[in-house]
Amino acid sequence: MAYAALSLLAAIVARLPASVRVALGRGLGLVAGSLLRIRRSLVEAAMSRAGIADPAASAGAMYGALGEGIVELLWLAAAPSWRREEAVARVAIDDASVAALDAACARGRVVLFASHTGNWELAAAAAARLLAQRGRRLAVVAKAIHARGVNAFVDRLRRRVGVDVIAPRGALRAAQRFLERGDVVVMPIDQVPERSSHGIVVPFLGELAVTDRAPATLAWRVRATVLVVAAERDADGHRVRVLDTIAPPSERDAPRRWIEAATIRATALLEGFVRRSPDSWMWLHRRWRAPLER
């Protein structure tokens, strides 16, 4: 039912002019953030703890950007392939970030540490397009959305833009297979792990947060170069950039120490990005909660 409804909605959105789609997305964000106030108090409280200037304004901008992102994904799902390709091609990846990716690929295996910034699905599509030009594929480790129809809709969209999906269960082993054949794997660094034993406690935006060790564990296992990436929306559209490169572990590095250091470094880089562009990160999810299982 949800899949059919989303497909119909996507078909309608695909017929709308770009200006109407932007207004629709902004309106959706206004309804969610200011009228329904979905998790609005949680968002503003988190921004206040982080020292973000004018949390109310930043929260409003974040909801607006999320609304735009939802409409963009609906449009991508139903747009003709040539229009979808044009939209993905317009996502800007600066020369320095492209050079960092090429240098990392030249060294060997590459893991991207990503986050829920900007329109992350569109950013993944742009990265997949760039890698396809280099004969590689992009695989994303992503949790399934609880609503099956919504999850099927999003997974279909990912396949249409050239992104493979790896389920969290058995993700390390599956991701390792992708990396061993020369593909690039994306893992999120801004989600709470399912178990306390899978994470380490790291300062993040003014509060301690349990942070998943799995991305760094994967990089350690395959001796991968890590690129910490983020996306944001600006006046010209969407922009994806590499925040920094973390060199692959050497034979002298102790596993636990390298994994913790990489996790802390990546989290600090993400924090710096969010402080510079607070409306680009999805403050909606309960980032500072305890894992569900001890």
Side-chain angles (χ1 to χ4, degrees):
M1 189 70 174
Y3 183 89
L6 285 171
S7 297
L8 176 60
L9 186 57
I12 294 171
V13 168
R15 295 177 177 271
L16 299 176
S19 59
V20 176
R21 295 198 303 270
V22 171
L24 178 62
R26 287 286 164 179
L28 181 61
L30 180 66
V31 170
S34 298
L35 298 182
L36 299 180
R37 296 188 65 83
I38 298 173
R39 296 190 181 179
R40 182 65 182 249
S41 59
L42 180 149
V43 169
E44 291 193 19
M47 287 183 169
S48 295
R49 285 195 305 271
I52 302 300
D54 199 349
S58 292
M62 183 213 69
Y63 281 98
L66 286 175
E68 278 194 72
I70 290 171
V71 173
E72 286 164 350
L73 295 182
L74 288 169
W75 181 86
L76 279 174
S81 58
W82 65 271
R83 294 186 68 190
R84 187 169 62 246
E85 173 66 17
E86 282 185 348
V88 174
R90 286 197 296 270
V91 177
I93 304 177
D94 60 81
D95 291 343
S97 295
V98 173
L101 176 63
D102 286 339
C105 288
R107 283 194 293 270
R109 295 161 183 167
V110 182
V111 176
L112 304 182
F113 284 12
S115 53
H116 293 85
T117 53
N119 186 332
W120 54 89
E121 299 288 356
L122 188 55
R129 178 180 181 274
L130 180 65
L131 286 165
Q133 295 169 352
R134 289 150 172 77
R136 297 171 185 254
R137 291 192 63 83
L138 184 76
V140 176
V141 177
K143 291 181 179 179
I145 300 169
H146 292 303
R148 290 185 180 180
V150 177
N151 188 70
F153 181 85
V154 173
D155 274 357
R156 178 174 177 268
L157 171 60
R158 288 167 175 159
R159 290 194 299 272
R160 291 189 77 186
V161 296
V163 176
D164 294 313
V165 180
I166 300 172
R169 185 177 295 276
L172 289 180
R173 189 170 300 172
Q176 190 166 337
R177 288 196 294 269
F178 273 93
L179 292 165
E180 286 171 349
R181 70 186 193 197
D183 296 328
V184 174
V185 169
V186 181
M187 294 192 75
I189 59 170
D190 60 346
Q191 292 184 321
V192 181
E194 293 297 320
R195 297 175 180 270
S196 296
S197 59
H198 294 171
I200 62 172
V201 178
V202 177
F204 182 60
L205 293 170
E207 195 170 348
L208 295 177
V210 182
T211 304
D212 200 344
R213 290 183 295 129
T217 299
L218 173 64
W220 165 266
R221 285 187 179 181
V222 299
R223 298 295 193 269
T225 299
V226 171
L227 299 180
V228 184
V229 299
E232 62 185 333
R233 188 189 304 273
D234 60 20
D236 298 321
H238 294 87
R239 193 168 300 278
V240 182
R241 62 182 49 143
V242 173
L243 302 180
D244 203 0
T245 299
I246 300 175
S250 69
E251 296 296 332
R252 299 187 301 274
D253 290 317
R256 185 180 184 86
R257 183 176 300 175
W258 189 91
I259 289 168
E260 291 189 356
T263 302
I264 292 168
R265 173 66 177 153
T267 303
L269 287 164
L270 174 59
E271 175 171 331
F273 173 83
V274 174
R275 290 189 181 281
R276 292 190 298 273
S277 184
D279 58 310
S280 293
W281 184 59
M282 192 178 72
W283 297 77
L284 274 166
H285 64 174
R286 294 184 171 90
R287 178 64 188 90
W288 295 273
R289 69 169 174 82
L292 298 177
E293 299 181 44
R294 297 293 179 180

